[in-house]
Every structure is written in C-alpha cells, then in structure tokens.
Amino acid sequence: YCQESELLMTMQHLTPMLRMENVSYVALRQPIVFELEGFEVPRSHGYPLFALVLATYVLVLLGNGVVMSVIAVDKTLHKPMYVMVCNLAACDLLGGTAVMTQLMVIFLTGEKKIPYNSAYAQAICVHTYGAAVQTILSAMAYDRYVAVCEPLRYHAIMTTAHMVFVILLAWAVAIIIIAVLFALNVGTPLCGTYIRHVYCSNRSILNLACVIDPRHYVISLSSSFLIIFFCYTKILSACLMRKSDKASRSKALQTCASHLVIYLIYEIVSLIIILSNRFPQVPMNIKKFCTILIFIVPPLINPIIYGFVTKELRTSIIKLLKTRVAPKM
C-alpha cells in the first residue's frame, strides 16, 4: 500500500530526472543530514498536536501490548491463529513506532532534521511494516483456509513446526524483499537533502538522487492479494456447500470475520492514500495526513477488533485483568 502511493508520486518526476543522466553533478558527501518538510502548521500548534500523537501512540502500545501479553501468557491461546495475531500486533508496533515517534519529536521541538543513518533506519522500518503486514495477512488467510476447508485434518496440517515455518516464511519474504529494495539504493549519489514528506521512505530519499534508476521501483507485493483472494474464495465456497450444517457454516464465517475486517481496513486506508494523491486540489496537509493513516488506524483498531470480536481472546483479556485487580480489592 505504501509502495503504490509512492510510485504514483514518483513517476511524475521520473522522466525529467532521467534526462539528467548525461548531465554532470556533484554528489553530496557524508555526513549528510536530511530535513523533513513535515506538516505546514503554526509552531503554536505543535504542543497540542504532540499531545494528540502521544495519546494515540500510548493507545497503540497499550492495545497491542495487551494482545501480545495475553497470547504469550495464556497457553490456551498458543494456537496458529493467535500466534499470527501476536505477530501482526508486533508488526503494527513496528510501523506505529517508526512514524509516530518521529512526529512527536517534530511537533514537540520543531526539529525536522534527521541524520542519514536514522533516515534510512526509519525508511527500512516503514517498508518492512508495509511488506510484513501483507505477508502475515496472507499467512493468516492460509491458516483460515486450512481450518475451514480441511477441518478434520487441521491439527495434522497446522502442527507447531508447520506454524513456525509459515510465520518465519512470512517475515523472511518481507525482510528479503525490503533488503533487496534497499540494497539497490545503497551508495546512490544524492544531490539534495530536503525530503518533501512527513517521514523518510524509499521514494522520498530516492527523489533526492542525482540520477534515478527506474529499476528501483519495480518491487511489488500484489502476490499477497492473490493468496488472500484464493484462500477466501475457497473458504466461501466450502461454507456455501455446507447447506445442511448451518451451525458449522456460521462458526466458520465468524472465525474469518475479524481477519477480513482487518484486511479491508488496510485496503481502505491504502485506497484513501492513493486517491488523495490523484487529486492536485487536495491540500498538502490533507495528503500528508492520509499517508500516515496506515501507521495509525490499523495499529489502533486491530487490537480492538481481535479483543472484542474473538471470544477466546476477549475472555483471556478479561481473566487477566481480573487477576491483576483482585489482589488490590
């Protein structure tokens, strides 16, 4: 989702920059310090905005932290679906932390400068979050596919070893994709330091390159959509075929509902990002705000969805809270 919106914005500048190939340039030397454009707001608004971002970040930490802690402590939740939920929560923390901590520094101090290494570290975290969300959601779709379409063989297929393999594969694919993406960019000569964005990303840094190589923009994660689409098409087909077993069909759909809602949230937010960049009349602050929604909305809402919709997880959270409160009463 991040890559699609960045590619749309980058292609507008790609052609004129490619014409610079035969033009001599003097690349910047280390130490390089970038400056983020950030939001165009009065300095007096910095403290209220800092408080707002801080409150949001605390809720993200609290929500995802509770989900991860409950799943880790409660042995009854040591099942493939919940272990994957735990990994999704960790991924959400990565994305939220990478962007919201930077925003808090900007709003609190007004300092928009960021060193070269820190800029790349943030960009790597941002893109790893984007890639890992897709691969983890694909792994979760596969787990639900096996649970619904092969219910009698589920435990034989989704053994602990197989579950660990699926989760490690999801992270490995995401990390390898991002590693290749940034390996192409290491050593790219830069002729500018002003990043016209709220946070550092692959596209925003490459826009400062003296010469742009279009090969840097070919990596995509569209395959994850195909996996999720295939799994849920099979799930829906299996549910519709069980016409005489309404209870089983209802239970199967309920187990998939929370995952589908979360996937739709990511896609809706991604669509908002892309559409906001399609219309030049949209104010820049609105466009910038839309680009950070993906790091705020899913990490904030996902724990609520799993905490309240998933009965087993909700029961475990209530049980844990009661045990924490009981000694004080």
Side-chain angles (χ1 to χ4, degrees), residues 250-295:
S250 176
K251 184 177 180 181
L253 289 174
Q254 286 176 4
T255 61
C256 303
S258 55
H259 176 251
L260 277 174
V261 169
I262 286 174
Y263 180 73
L264 287 174
I265 288 172
Y266 281 107
E267 294 306 315
I268 290 171
V269 174
S270 302
L271 181 62
I272 292 173
I273 295 173
I274 294 172
L275 289 177
S276 66
N277 287 307
R278 288 283 190 180
F279 299 98
Q281 64 270 26
V282 177
M284 284 305 300
N285 275 347
I286 299 297
K287 290 184 178 181
K288 293 172 184 176
F289 177 71
C290 289
T291 61
I292 64 171
L293 282 178
I294 200 72
F295 305 100

XYZ file of all heavy atoms in Angstrom, residues 250-295:
371
model
N -21.872 -21.074 10.079
C -21.846 -19.810 10.824
C -20.552 -19.677 11.617
O -19.931 -18.602 11.643
C -23.047 -19.744 11.757
O -22.990 -18.578 12.544
N -20.129 -20.747 12.287
C -18.903 -20.701 13.081
C -17.694 -20.452 12.195
O -16.777 -19.699 12.551
C -18.723 -22.020 13.842
C -17.525 -22.025 14.781
C -17.457 -23.329 15.554
C -16.245 -23.322 16.485
N -16.152 -24.601 17.246
N -17.677 -21.093 11.017
C -16.551 -20.919 10.094
C -16.445 -19.476 9.626
O -15.355 -18.905 9.551
C -16.721 -21.848 8.897
N -17.594 -18.878 9.312
C -17.580 -17.480 8.864
C -17.172 -16.532 9.981
O -16.477 -15.542 9.746
C -18.970 -17.100 8.335
C -19.370 -17.746 7.000
C -20.813 -17.416 6.669
C -18.443 -17.286 5.881
N -17.566 -16.839 11.220
C -17.196 -15.988 12.342
C -15.700 -15.996 12.591
O -15.110 -14.974 12.946
C -17.932 -16.440 13.609
C -19.412 -16.074 13.608
C -20.136 -16.610 14.828
O -19.530 -17.188 15.718
N -21.447 -16.420 14.869
N -15.062 -17.147 12.402
C -13.614 -17.223 12.617
C -12.844 -16.404 11.590
O -11.720 -15.983 11.842
C -13.137 -18.688 12.539
O -13.431 -19.212 11.239
C -13.789 -19.545 13.602
N -13.463 -16.168 10.429
C -12.789 -15.415 9.368
C -13.164 -13.930 9.377
O -12.481 -13.125 8.740
C -13.154 -15.998 8.002
S -12.758 -17.742 7.823
N -14.238 -13.578 10.080
C -14.765 -12.220 10.002
C -13.752 -11.183 10.464
O -13.531 -10.169 9.793
C -16.047 -12.113 10.841
N -13.110 -11.427 11.617
C -12.175 -10.441 12.160
C -10.992 -10.225 11.228
O -10.551 -9.089 11.015
C -11.684 -10.876 13.540
O -11.123 -12.177 13.486
N -10.496 -11.316 10.638
C -9.365 -11.192 9.724
C -9.742 -10.416 8.474
O -8.982 -9.557 8.008
C -8.851 -12.574 9.340
C -7.746 -12.541 8.327
N -7.929 -12.949 7.027
C -6.462 -12.126 8.402
C -6.795 -12.797 6.350
N -5.899 -12.306 7.165
N -10.940 -10.690 7.941
C -11.392 -9.983 6.746
C -11.593 -8.498 7.026
O -11.246 -7.647 6.198
C -12.701 -10.596 6.238
C -12.562 -11.850 5.368
C -13.930 -12.429 5.062
C -11.822 -11.545 4.078
N -12.138 -8.175 8.201
C -12.339 -6.768 8.564
C -11.002 -6.046 8.628
O -10.850 -4.923 8.116
C -13.069 -6.658 9.921
C -13.044 -5.227 10.436
C -14.509 -7.136 9.774
N -10.005 -6.681 9.244
C -8.683 -6.066 9.357
C -8.052 -5.882 7.979
O -7.463 -4.829 7.683
C -7.780 -6.920 10.260
C -8.212 -6.740 11.720
C -6.308 -6.550 10.102
C -7.497 -7.624 12.695
N -8.191 -6.887 7.127
C -7.634 -6.774 5.773
C -8.314 -5.637 5.014
O -7.652 -4.851 4.328
C -7.806 -8.087 5.020
C -7.253 -8.037 3.622
C -5.872 -8.037 3.403
C -8.092 -7.967 2.519
C -5.358 -7.981 2.118
C -7.583 -7.914 1.236
C -6.220 -7.917 1.044
O -5.713 -7.848 -0.236
N -9.619 -5.514 5.158
C -10.358 -4.447 4.482
C -9.940 -3.072 5.006
O -9.886 -2.102 4.246
C -11.861 -4.647 4.654
C -12.483 -5.797 3.847
C -13.942 -5.985 4.218
C -12.334 -5.542 2.351
N -9.644 -2.976 6.297
C -9.187 -1.701 6.864
C -7.887 -1.270 6.196
O -7.732 -0.110 5.795
C -8.999 -1.819 8.395
C -10.366 -1.902 9.080
C -8.213 -0.620 8.937
C -10.282 -2.201 10.558
N -6.940 -2.193 6.065
C -5.682 -1.873 5.393
C -5.921 -1.419 3.957
O -5.321 -0.439 3.492
C -4.751 -3.093 5.388
C -4.036 -3.334 6.685
C -4.394 -4.378 7.526
C -2.971 -2.527 7.084
C -3.739 -4.606 8.721
C -2.303 -2.751 8.274
C -2.693 -3.786 9.085
O -2.040 -4.015 10.265
N -6.803 -2.117 3.261
C -7.033 -1.798 1.859
C -7.776 -0.469 1.696
O -7.483 0.306 0.786
C -7.821 -2.930 1.186
C -7.065 -4.241 1.086
C -5.708 -4.077 0.409
O -5.634 -3.385 -0.628
O -4.720 -4.634 0.915
N -8.731 -0.194 2.577
C -9.470 1.070 2.511
C -8.544 2.248 2.780
O -8.574 3.266 2.074
C -10.642 1.064 3.506
C -11.725 0.083 3.037
C -11.238 2.467 3.656
C -12.819 -0.163 4.055
N -7.699 2.109 3.804
C -6.741 3.175 4.114
C -5.776 3.366 2.953
O -5.428 4.496 2.583
C -5.976 2.859 5.411
C -4.874 3.892 5.651
C -6.925 2.848 6.602
N -5.332 2.262 2.345
C -4.425 2.348 1.192
C -5.100 3.072 0.027
O -4.476 3.870 -0.669
C -4.004 0.940 0.747
O -3.390 0.239 1.799
N -6.396 2.780 -0.167
C -7.145 3.424 -1.245
C -7.251 4.925 -0.990
O -7.141 5.735 -1.918
C -8.531 2.799 -1.354
C -9.439 3.343 -2.462
C -8.824 3.093 -3.833
C -10.820 2.695 -2.376
N -7.468 5.315 0.255
C -7.539 6.738 0.605
C -6.228 7.434 0.278
O -6.201 8.548 -0.254
C -7.880 6.902 2.104
C -9.320 6.434 2.368
C -7.714 8.365 2.537
C -9.688 6.402 3.834
N -5.099 6.768 0.586
C -3.776 7.332 0.293
C -3.613 7.565 -1.203
O -3.191 8.635 -1.650
C -2.664 6.405 0.814
C -2.705 6.320 2.337
C -1.291 6.904 0.354
C -1.754 5.294 2.918
N -3.957 6.548 -1.988
C -3.787 6.636 -3.440
C -4.696 7.709 -4.034
O -4.275 8.521 -4.865
C -4.066 5.265 -4.090
C -3.004 4.249 -3.640
C -4.070 5.380 -5.612
C -3.291 2.823 -4.066
N -5.967 7.733 -3.592
C -6.911 8.713 -4.130
C -6.522 10.139 -3.764
O -6.686 11.063 -4.567
C -8.322 8.414 -3.615
C -9.006 7.160 -4.176
C -10.370 6.957 -3.531
C -9.138 7.245 -5.691
N -5.982 10.332 -2.557
C -5.597 11.682 -2.143
C -4.479 12.234 -3.017
O -4.377 13.450 -3.226
C -5.150 11.687 -0.676
O -3.951 10.946 -0.502
N -3.643 11.348 -3.554
C -2.548 11.783 -4.418
C -2.980 11.944 -5.875
O -2.220 12.442 -6.694
C -1.384 10.782 -4.336
C -0.637 10.862 -3.019
O -0.204 11.928 -2.608
N -0.500 9.742 -2.341
N -4.195 11.487 -6.183
C -4.706 11.602 -7.553
C -5.257 12.997 -7.852
O -5.337 13.401 -9.000
C -5.817 10.559 -7.776
C -5.328 9.122 -7.881
C -4.721 8.842 -9.221
N -4.466 7.430 -9.422
C -3.937 6.921 -10.529
N -3.609 7.739 -11.520
N -3.728 5.647 -10.642
N -5.659 13.707 -6.799
C -6.322 14.993 -6.983
C -5.419 16.129 -6.510
O -5.173 16.277 -5.303
C -7.643 15.019 -6.219
C -8.620 13.960 -6.673
C -8.744 12.765 -5.971
C -9.386 14.143 -7.807
C -9.628 11.779 -6.384
C -10.279 13.170 -8.236
C -10.396 11.987 -7.530
N -4.918 16.937 -7.444
C -3.995 18.025 -7.082
C -4.634 19.104 -6.222
O -3.931 19.832 -5.525
C -3.561 18.588 -8.444
C -4.635 18.184 -9.398
C -5.144 16.874 -8.902
N -5.966 19.223 -6.268
C -6.631 20.266 -5.494
C -6.713 19.959 -4.000
O -7.068 20.832 -3.198
C -8.043 20.545 -6.041
C -9.019 19.386 -5.926
C -8.996 18.492 -7.144
O -7.994 18.414 -7.833
N -10.112 17.825 -7.404
N -6.412 18.719 -3.630
C -6.431 18.348 -2.208
C -5.271 19.046 -1.501
O -4.129 18.968 -1.951
C -6.308 16.818 -2.035
C -6.244 16.447 -0.549
C -7.483 16.116 -2.705
N -5.517 19.763 -0.384
C -4.446 20.454 0.344
C -3.321 19.500 0.735
O -3.565 18.334 1.056
C -5.166 21.013 1.581
C -6.596 21.118 1.172
C -6.838 19.980 0.229
N -2.097 20.015 0.734
C -0.935 19.173 1.024
C -1.004 18.571 2.419
O -0.596 17.428 2.625
C 0.351 19.986 0.857
C 0.745 20.227 -0.587
S 0.898 18.683 -1.551
C 2.181 17.820 -0.639
N -1.481 19.325 3.399
C -1.580 18.779 4.754
C -2.523 17.580 4.816
O -2.282 16.624 5.566
C -2.054 19.859 5.733
C -0.907 20.711 6.241
O 0.260 20.375 6.076
N -1.230 21.830 6.861
N -3.595 17.628 4.019
C -4.532 16.505 3.969
C -3.858 15.293 3.332
O -3.999 14.160 3.808
C -5.804 16.877 3.177
C -6.530 18.053 3.842
C -6.725 15.678 3.061
C -7.029 17.759 5.231
N -3.115 15.528 2.258
C -2.399 14.423 1.599
C -1.398 13.785 2.550
O -1.276 12.561 2.628
C -1.680 14.932 0.349
C -2.595 15.310 -0.799
C -1.781 15.712 -2.024
C -2.691 16.036 -3.196
N -1.930 16.416 -4.409
N -0.667 14.642 3.263
C 0.331 14.128 4.204
C -0.321 13.346 5.337
O 0.192 12.317 5.782
C 1.160 15.284 4.760
C 2.048 15.958 3.726
C 2.699 17.207 4.291
C 3.504 17.940 3.233
N 4.074 19.205 3.741
N -1.466 13.868 5.809
C -2.177 13.167 6.876
C -2.664 11.804 6.395
O -2.614 10.815 7.138
C -3.364 14.016 7.348
C -4.204 13.343 8.400
C -3.711 13.170 9.682
C -5.477 12.880 8.095
C -4.487 12.539 10.656
C -6.254 12.255 9.057
C -5.756 12.086 10.338
N -3.138 11.744 5.152
C -3.604 10.471 4.595
C -2.476 9.446 4.521
O -2.697 8.247 4.738
C -4.212 10.688 3.208
S -5.803 11.539 3.221
N -1.248 9.901 4.230
C -0.133 8.969 4.104
C 0.257 8.340 5.438
O 0.844 7.251 5.457
C 1.112 9.657 3.509
O 1.527 10.722 4.371
C 0.832 10.190 2.120
N -0.050 9.004 6.558
C 0.311 8.423 7.861
C -0.855 7.644 8.479
O -0.674 7.025 9.536
C 0.801 9.498 8.849
C -0.310 10.489 9.184
C 2.026 10.212 8.305
C 0.050 11.442 10.307
N -2.036 7.666 7.850
C -3.176 6.926 8.382
C -2.867 5.439 8.495
O -3.329 4.768 9.421
C -4.403 7.128 7.495
C -5.164 8.447 7.643
C -6.316 8.492 6.647
C -5.676 8.626 9.059
N -2.098 4.918 7.548
C -1.794 3.489 7.530
C -0.974 3.077 8.737
O -0.974 1.905 9.144
C -1.050 3.121 6.212
C -1.160 1.626 5.930
C 0.395 3.568 6.247
C -2.519 1.186 5.500
N -0.276 4.036 9.357
C 0.530 3.741 10.545
C -0.218 4.033 11.842
O 0.318 3.811 12.926
C 1.823 4.568 10.520
C 2.622 4.388 9.266
C 2.568 5.338 8.248
C 3.411 3.269 9.074
C 3.303 5.177 7.090
C 4.141 3.092 7.919
C 4.081 4.050 6.919
